[in-house]
Amino acid sequence: MTVSSCSTAGGIALGVNIDHVATLRQARRIDYPDPIHAALLAEQSGADSITLHLREDRRHIQDRDVTLMRQLLQTRMNLEMAVTEEMIRIACGVKPQDCCLVPESREEVTTEGGLDVAGQTARVGAACAALASAGIRVSLFIDPEPAQVEAAMRAGAPVVELHTGTYANASGQALGVELDRVRSAPSSPPRWGSP
């Protein structure tokens, strides 16, 4: 499980990502460990939101997980997904409280960079509008670059999540460079942090 937090009006909110519980289940080709059980345990332990990524290749989270989790969770559900017609249709049917649009590559083990919103603003904007019309709050997982933050605003996303993997993997002088990159992103997007 991955844990993240975001600042809210009431303080810090705790979000828990349960994807890799499902990775173990899928690798074992059995029914445990169960990501739904992990999500409910995290929720009972005080998590404010549960994040799960329904990937196009279904490598960990499965459609059944998404449907059951939406029925059982009492906290916010944050569905991470690619910007595809199939995923938008699924999200609009399930209606999680939040959706985070992310890039996907079948070659990656986990999401390794931000969504290129600047290169596909109209497409991302259409996805944001469709999800918002279904009552779903949208966030975009982007690199900490001013052009991406500005494109996210133009696309109509009320929330952005910054990819900090490059910073996390940096060392020496590169660490300072990457921290400056995160700091230099404009300070006036709709809202900083995870949904």
Side-chain angles (χ1 to χ4, degrees):
M1 288 189 292
T2 303
V3 177
S4 64
S5 64
C6 69
S7 179
T8 65
I12 300 287
L14 176 66
V16 177
N17 185 315
I18 51 85
D19 288 346
H20 294 302
V21 174
T23 299
L24 288 174
R25 176 194 61 195
Q26 295 305 107
R28 292 177 171 177
R29 294 188 172 101
I30 52 179
D31 60 359
Y32 66 90
D34 185 358
I36 296 166
H37 181 264
L40 294 174
L41 182 61
E43 180 179 70
Q44 291 167 3
S45 299
D48 297 297
S49 67
I50 303 297
T51 295
L52 60 157
H53 185 169
L54 183 63
R55 296 181 69 100
E56 291 179 272
D57 63 9
R58 308 304 200 269
R59 71 175 63 167
H60 41 60
I61 296 296
Q62 303 297 302
D63 295 66
R64 177 183 178 276
D65 299 325
V66 174
T67 303
L68 282 175
M69 225 166 288
R70 182 62 181 106
Q71 293 170 2
L72 297 172
L73 286 176
Q74 301 300 306
T75 57
R76 297 185 76 84
M77 179 175 155
N78 178 30
L79 180 61
E80 293 181 334
M81 58 186 225
V83 184
T84 66
E85 289 181 23
E86 177 195 24
M87 291 298 151
I88 293 166
R89 182 178 32 76
I90 289 170
C92 288
V94 172
K95 296 191 186 315
Q97 290 86 353
D98 302 296
C99 276
C100 181
L101 301 180
V102 302
E104 276 190 23
S105 168
R106 292 184 192 260
E107 295 79 34
E108 66 189 1
V109 175
T110 189
T111 306
E112 296 176 355
L115 182 65
D116 179 16
V117 182
Q120 54 183 344
T121 306
R123 179 173 173 238
V124 173
C128 289
L131 294 166
S133 71
I136 302 166
R137 183 174 66 165
V138 181
S139 66
L140 303 179
F141 184 69
I142 60 174
D143 288 324
E145 298 170 358
Q148 294 299 336
V149 174
E150 292 164 13
M153 292 173 68
R154 284 193 310 276
V159 180
V160 295
E161 297 183 38
L162 297 180
H163 174 256
T164 56
T166 307
Y167 167 73
N169 293 322
S171 62
Q173 290 181 339
L175 188 62
V177 170
E178 289 304 320
L179 181 57
D180 287 343
R181 191 169 158 237
V182 172
R183 286 180 176 155
S184 70
S187 61
S188 60
R191 179 170 164 212
W192 284 107
S194 299

